[in-house]
Amino acid sequence: MKFLKTIGRIILKASFLTLVVSLLAINFTGAEFFDAETALGNQLVTTTLDLGLRSDTADFLPEAILPGETATRSAFSANDGQLPFVYSQETTNLGGNNDLCQALNITVYYKWYDLGGTLHTVWKYSGPLVGFNYNLGGTDPDLINPNSHDYFSNGIYASNEHWFEYKVNLPLNQDPNLGNSTCSFDLLYKAWQIGGSYGTGFYDSEILSNTVNTGSWAKVMGMKFNDENGNAFKDLGETGLEGWKIYGALETERFNVSADCSPVTSQILTQDETYLIRANGTFSAGDLISADAKYSAKAPSTVWTDEVQSYESYGPELLDLQIDGSSPDWGEYNVSHEYWLTVVGANAPLNFNIYDIYCPNNAGSLEVTIFKVEVEDITDVDGNYELDITGIGGEIYVAEEQQAGWIQTLPSQGYYLFTTPTIYENKDFGNKEVEPQPGPTNIVINEVYYDVAGDRGTEDKNEWIELYNLSDSAIPLKNWYLIDKANNIRIIHENTSIPAHGFALLSHDNSTWVLHWPSVPAATTKVNLGQHRAWLNNDGGDWLKLMNPQNQEVDFVAWENGFPGWDKTANDGQSIARHPLGFDTDSPTDWEVLNTPNPGTNPHSHIVVSINQEDNHLLVGFSNATGFDNLKYAVNYTHVFEANPITELIQGEASKPVDEPQLILAPMFFGTCSSEGLVCTPHLEIQDVLINLIYKNGSEIIGQEQINYVWQ
């Protein structure tokens, strides 16, 4: 049986019948019959010299080898004609990866059973695959067919066949870039009549085509697991996570993005290629604010949120690291302040900047690194992944794609770094699932009725405090509490909640609302403190602290100089309240006196106006600002110049879509600048700041507001 032949038989001199007749009449010398064949389809059979070739496997096995490993194949040469012959072997037609072919070695064994059934294994050759040849001179008696010794045929080979075993070996310490490569070659058998030479008389040749493949010995392997206890170690029972992308990437660019809001442009990102972006570090935004790529904290609080504390009306985008003018989702808060983002190139650069409403008081920068993904894998049902890093030159960063609702616990630096191509095992990634965060649990003290009107009965029984929930989800009040100047702790013990953007009213008992304010909205949460003694001081002042269940101070208010600088004073029957609703800059200017207290409601504009001051700039922003598409503003103030009061006016106009909930005005400079704006001098002794706002929808005025602001 013959196969794998690619060249048909060629008879050069005479027809098949002429050949048979001639053999009976003349000597073999001088005849020139050339039978050049491969081992497939040897259909034309002479009755003279015919070399056959077969193999019991399709190719070398195993299909892929690593350094130090060997691939094996057996071949059987046969005498299919009437003449005995001598034959040789050699490699030819090498192809594929030349470096791999040069690295391979080959060992050849001749194997046979004697009449007693004993297997003989005779070594014939060991050396480089390239240039291998054996018995070109025809001197080896084992390479004569028929055999020169007794030969026992069996199920492995027939009586007219010779059995050869070839072992191709890849030595140790090879270049990993030879991984995933192929060396192709032919084993060329040449046969000729005894006493002659190849190319004269009767001769034949056969080719056995071969390939040797290598696997990869440059890999990163590991597991993505659910780190339920968050200890950065895979404990018994912690399962793998399926469907996570793991990337192997090369760093392409690294730069700093300044907190002064200066833009930085990256290199061009190739179309449809995947990139990883790492942002790490923190910067200072003034006013005791620290920020990273997404989150911020305002001292003395240590709670990092995605909204800047006291600047919530400017939205969660404030102080974000933006890309192409928008804020990407940098993921869950990371105490190391390092975040990863996956992007796809569009044959264009990316533009990075820190977004802020007022940049001159910022300091520091964030570091941005861009990596180009070279290889990726998706974790299987058991959480396992495998990256082939063969041929990837340079430092290879292996990182995972971030997923919402999870925080990475392993590796500690967020990635693995490899500088040498080899096998890396147990490079695991751990992630802990986190509870969905609805946003900062922002509750403020919104109104205080501490000086009860004379006709309202017992004062301590009828005093009340109003809380307001600025966040987008309900907040349970259990274990929140209040502290006043006399350290009288008022536990908010009710197992109840404040609705999103809703109110809670705290009083000694429910009779306060039944007797005096039956019109309090039904949706308002009412908390009966169950205590009947004086607790909010009038003359001499007092203060209140709102504490969360973690014993952190969330809000503060004082009145009548109960704390230095806090001098708001309510007369009998008046209250003090924030204006606008929930407005909080931790300043006495957040508060005003209401002649008519408003428990559980706020009759002022639904639009929340935030006013802040940076250096000599006034910053004005609007949230919950749907319903108008045009704003006209005028800011009047006075300052002193050469001992004389001077009146100034800043006015302007701003537009937005009617359903857009936010609007931020350009910072207003309180000072005088040269005509070209190159030299500016701030005004001194600023006072009587009055902000007039006119809200319009189209040409219709839908509301007006006037705000007094005390310049700090």
Side-chain angles (χ1 to χ4, degrees), residues 177 249-251 374 389-397 418-421:
N177 290 321
L250 296 177
E251 179 180 329
E374 301 292 334
I389 58 175
T390 301
I392 304 177
E395 295 183 326
I396 302 170
Y397 291 79
F418 305 106
T419 58
T420 303

Side-chain angles (χ1 to χ4, degrees), residues 218-514:
K219 290 183 178 180
V220 182
M221 296 172 284
M223 180 183 186
K224 174 80 237 162
F225 67 93
N226 185 354
D227 190 7
E228 296 180 11
N229 59 12
N231 66 349
F233 180 82
K234 187 185 180 306
D235 298 294
L236 186 65
E238 291 182 336
T239 58
L241 294 171
E242 180 183 8
W244 287 67
K245 284 186 178 180
I246 309 294
Y247 298 110
L250 296 177
E251 179 180 329
T252 62
E253 192 175 5
R254 184 180 301 207
F255 49 82
N256 288 327
V257 179
S258 174
D260 67 6
C261 305
S262 300
V264 179
T265 301
S266 75
Q267 299 173 358
I268 291 176
L269 275 62
T270 305
Q271 181 77 33
D272 297 329
E273 294 287 350
T274 301
Y275 293 83
L276 303 180
I277 298 176
R278 182 181 71 196
N280 64 330
T282 63
F283 63 93
S284 169
D287 198 21
L288 302 179
I289 297 172
S290 296
D292 58 24
K294 178 180 179 180
Y295 298 88
S296 64
K298 181 176 181 181
S301 172
T302 59
V303 178
W304 288 72
T305 69
D306 62 353
E307 289 190 342
V308 183
Q309 295 162 13
S310 304
Y311 293 80
E312 285 85 1
S313 66
Y314 294 98
E317 295 83 11
L318 186 63
L319 301 186
D320 278 6
L321 174 62
Q322 295 197 330
I323 301 178
D324 290 341
S326 63
S327 297
D329 185 359
W330 292 103
E332 304 296 333
Y333 172 69
N334 190 331
V335 294
S336 66
H337 303 289
E338 179 176 286
Y339 304 93
W340 292 77
L341 187 69
T342 305
V343 299
V344 177
N347 221 26
L350 298 178
N351 297 299
F352 295 81
N353 68 280
I354 303 294
Y355 173 67
D356 195 2
I357 55 174
Y358 185 74
C359 301
N361 65 335
N362 296 352
S365 62
L366 299 180
E367 182 185 72
V368 172
T369 311
I370 300 179
F371 305 87
K372 182 177 179 294
V373 172
E374 301 292 334
V375 61
E376 66 180 70
D377 193 21
I378 299 177
T379 57
D380 64 17
V381 66
D382 297 316
N384 297 314
Y385 75 92
E386 179 177 295
L387 299 177
D388 190 333
I389 58 175
T390 301
I392 304 177
E395 295 183 326
I396 302 170
Y397 291 79
V398 174
E400 65 178 1
E401 185 175 42
Q402 302 298 310
Q403 292 198 19
W406 295 82
I407 187 72
Q408 189 181 72
T409 61
L410 183 73
S412 59
Q413 69 270 40
Y415 60 88
Y416 293 103
L417 175 61
F418 305 106
T419 58
T420 303
T422 185
I423 298 290
Y424 299 97
E425 298 181 298
N426 302 318
K427 300 305 176 184
D428 297 338
F429 288 87
N431 275 71
K432 178 178 173 59
E433 192 169 13
V434 296
E435 292 294 329
Q437 298 298 314
T441 54
N442 197 351
I443 300 177
V444 295
I445 303 169
N446 196 62
E447 188 173 354
V448 181
Y449 185 51
Y450 69 87
D451 198 349
V452 177
D455 62 349
R456 293 297 185 178
T458 306
E459 178 150 339
D460 63 297
K461 183 177 179 180
N462 289 281
E463 294 171 341
W464 49 264
I465 299 168
E466 178 188 82
L467 305 181
Y468 176 66
N469 177 8
L470 288 91
S471 64
D472 294 329
S473 59
I475 300 175
L477 284 176
K478 188 174 183 179
N479 295 326
W480 288 67
Y481 62 97
L482 290 161
I483 305 175
D484 73 354
K485 187 176 181 180
N487 287 324
N488 295 318
I489 299 176
R490 305 299 175 188
I491 304 296
I492 303 172
H493 57 80
E494 298 264 342
N495 187 17
T496 188
S497 299
I498 307 183
H501 304 288
F503 297 91
L505 294 171
L506 317 179
S507 66
H508 279 307
D509 62 47
N510 289 332
S511 64
T512 302
W513 318 117
V514 174

